[in-house]
Amino acid sequence: MIKNSLAVILLLVFGYISHQYLTEGQERYRNAVSGNIHEQHMLANAYWQQGNKTNAYYWWERAAQKGSVKAINQLMAYFPQQTDEWLSLAAKAEIPSAINAVAKRELNSARFSLASWLTRWEQKQTTWLDKQRSLLNSFESHGQCDSTLAVIGHSDAQKSEYLRVLSALDNSEFELNWCSRWVVDGALECTLKGERDRAECNSGEQADYQIILADSGIASASSRQIVLTEHSSRAVIQHEIAHWLGLADEYPMSGVLAKRFCQGLYQHKSLNVVVTDSTEQGVSESDIKALYQRLPWQNSLSSWKDIAQHTGQYWVLGSDASKHKVGLFKADTCNAEEGFQAWKPVKETTAMEQHATEYWPKVYLELIEAQSETAN
């Protein structure tokens, strides 16, 4: 009797679960037929997982026709031979998120040049597309510029990185009056050199400044060329641009670079770092005054006494951070070169020491601006 009762109970339980499963499936199908975009997409996913490509295609297409970004992405991924059709669906949907998704996909495609990409999307109005057009207009359209910038890649698939560079410049705190252009150089060659695998690239393009988009290596800067990779963030781009504007690294330079820079053999005008002999002994008043006179940020100080402290017996270099926001503070630039000490204007960690901070002290921006005015 007990066994029979258990059998009945188990039959009822499994029957209820089966009924619930079927009901959920039927409800999803009914909602999909009724036009629910989410359910159409989920139903297509289920069919695809079952290996039923025909039904998956049908329901993704129906969802895509109503502007489902996820469905459009799935169709492009699994049925790329019909890309133009999916682009047409996104355009007809007039849904900003769908338009942006497809426009971004094209931006990363070598099939379209920057000019043709702009033409294809010129009639579409979304916040993101308007921003891209505004960036290009800001840096490409005006004729009165202080410097020309060529951003160079080996393929049109990198044109999205060009816009990322322009966005980094546009969102920086630097006042730049530059004219830029996008260049595809099929003959572009890059090699990795040095202990940190810095990418060195050669291009015949003529411009005041070059930004090269390399496939590998780490970002680096020389007097007229910056090399970036696809992993270079906005903070990295701004850090490298700052080198062009006269700022030096405040983190420990590699041994080779430190030797050249700290011994004064490096052709780099540094606005934010000065170098002295390292000494734990006292310095003379005349030496402090001489250092004060050659500080690029001298105008931000009130007296030579701002950059040194008197111990009661002798003077030592370095400002009292409790009294001075701008002064003379130790930097790590020359740590690899024995006998030298680097100094910077502020105590805080800046973007020239750790780019991720994106901290640009006011005194740094003033130094850059003053140098720019002098150059002009």
Side-chain angles (χ1 to χ4, degrees):
M1 181 68 178
I2 294 175
K3 291 182 178 179
N4 290 337
S5 297
L6 287 173
V8 171
I9 291 172
L10 289 172
L11 183 62
L12 289 172
V13 169
F14 284 114
Y16 173 76
I17 293 173
S18 176
H19 173 72
Q20 286 294 100
Y21 175 77
L22 292 174
T23 300
E24 289 174 4
Q26 291 171 347
E27 183 176 355
R28 168 165 291 167
Y29 186 86
R30 184 168 56 250
N31 289 336
V33 171
S34 299
N36 186 302
I37 296 177
H38 174 72
E39 295 291 11
Q40 289 174 344
H41 176 67
M42 295 301 293
L43 185 59
N45 286 346
Y47 277 128
W48 185 264
Q49 291 171 2
Q50 294 168 13
N52 191 333
K53 296 182 179 181
T54 301
N55 282 344
Y57 175 95
Y58 174 79
W59 286 109
W60 273 330
E61 185 179 34
R62 287 195 58 174
Q65 288 171 340
K66 295 191 175 184
S68 169
V69 177
K70 292 180 179 179
I72 290 173
N73 285 335
Q74 295 289 63
L75 287 168
M76 286 188 166
Y78 296 122
F79 303 95
Q81 67 274 18
Q82 295 172 256
T83 296
D84 288 341
E85 184 178 345
W86 312 143
L87 293 175
S88 177
L89 285 178
K92 290 178 180 178
E94 292 295 343
I95 295 178
S97 58
I99 293 172
N100 289 343
V102 180
K104 289 176 182 179
R105 185 179 290 272
E106 274 198 6
L107 193 61
N108 287 288
S109 170
R111 293 176 57 205
F112 306 98
S113 68
L114 181 59
S116 64
W117 181 83
L118 286 168
T119 300
R120 288 172 69 87
W121 296 99
E122 64 183 351
Q123 300 301 321
K124 299 299 179 183
Q125 302 293 322
T126 71
T127 301
W128 182 81
L129 280 171
D130 289 344
K131 178 60 177 176
Q132 309 318 302
R133 286 188 283 258
S134 176
L135 280 173
L136 291 169
N137 288 334
S138 296
F139 286 94
E140 291 189 346
S141 296
H142 63 91
Q144 300 296 322
C145 25
D146 298 332
S147 301
T148 57
L149 168 66
V151 181
I152 307 166
H154 61 78
S155 166
D156 266 315
Q158 296 173 294
K159 57 186 177 293
S160 62
E161 295 179 48
Y162 171 51
L163 285 167
R164 185 160 56 86
V165 169
L166 296 188
S167 179
L169 297 179
D170 188 56
N171 287 286
S172 75
E173 296 188 53
F174 311 137
E175 295 293 333
L176 302 174
N177 183 31
W178 291 358
C179 290
S180 70
R181 65 181 183 272
W182 166 240
V183 178
V184 177
D185 184 352
L188 181 65
E189 294 184 357
C190 296
T191 56
L192 302 183
K193 293 187 177 181
E195 56 195 71
R196 299 182 63 198
D197 280 341
R198 292 179 179 270
E200 290 190 7
C201 306
N202 294 311
S203 173
E205 190 65 25
Q206 297 298 311
D208 294 329
Y209 296 104
Q210 290 183 351
I211 291 181
I212 305 289
L213 303 176
D215 289 328
S216 59
I218 65 168
S220 62
S222 60
S223 60
R224 293 294 175 181
Q225 185 187 90
I226 288 174
V227 177
L228 301 174
T229 71
E230 61 180 343
H231 304 296
S232 299
S233 65
R234 179 181 72 179
V236 168
I237 295 170
Q238 292 175 353
H239 173 99
E240 300 300 340
I241 291 291
H243 285 307
W244 280 349
L245 302 177
L247 301 185
D249 289 325
E250 294 171 356
Y251 58 76
M253 288 184 174
S254 66
V256 174
L257 288 177
K259 182 175 183 178
R260 292 172 58 201
F261 180 85
C262 303
Q263 292 187 18
L265 305 175
Y266 192 58
Q267 299 301 315
H268 185 293
K269 184 178 180 181
S270 173
L271 300 176
N272 63 314
V273 174
V274 295
V275 179
T276 66
D277 294 337
S278 61
T279 177
E280 298 300 326
Q281 300 177 351
V283 292
S284 68
E285 192 173 299
S286 61
D287 286 342
I288 299 171
K289 289 179 179 179
L291 174 60
Y292 173 75
Q293 290 298 324
R294 68 181 179 93
L295 287 181
W297 58 93
Q298 178 188 344
N299 290 339
S300 297
L301 305 172
S302 59
S303 162
W304 62 269
K305 294 181 180 179
D306 292 353
I307 65 172
Q309 300 178 61
H310 200 274
T311 65
Q313 297 179 322
Y314 49 81
W315 289 94
V316 292
L317 289 178
S319 301
D320 183 344
S322 66
K323 297 179 180 179
H324 303 286
K325 292 291 290 182
V326 178
L328 193 71
F329 300 92
K330 287 186 175 181
D332 294 331
T333 307
C334 295
N335 286 6
E337 185 66 8
E338 187 176 353
F340 295 91
Q341 176 61 57
W343 304 88
K344 60 180 184 174
V346 297
K347 182 180 180 181
E348 295 85 0
T349 300
T350 76
M352 294 311 295
E353 180 176 357
Q354 295 180 14
H355 56 75
T357 65
E358 296 191 61
Y359 173 56
W360 301 98
K362 181 180 178 182
V363 62
Y364 287 33
L365 300 177
E366 291 173 345
L367 289 168
I368 292 171
E369 183 179 2
Q371 177 181 254
S372 177
E373 290 176 352
T374 300
N376 295 331

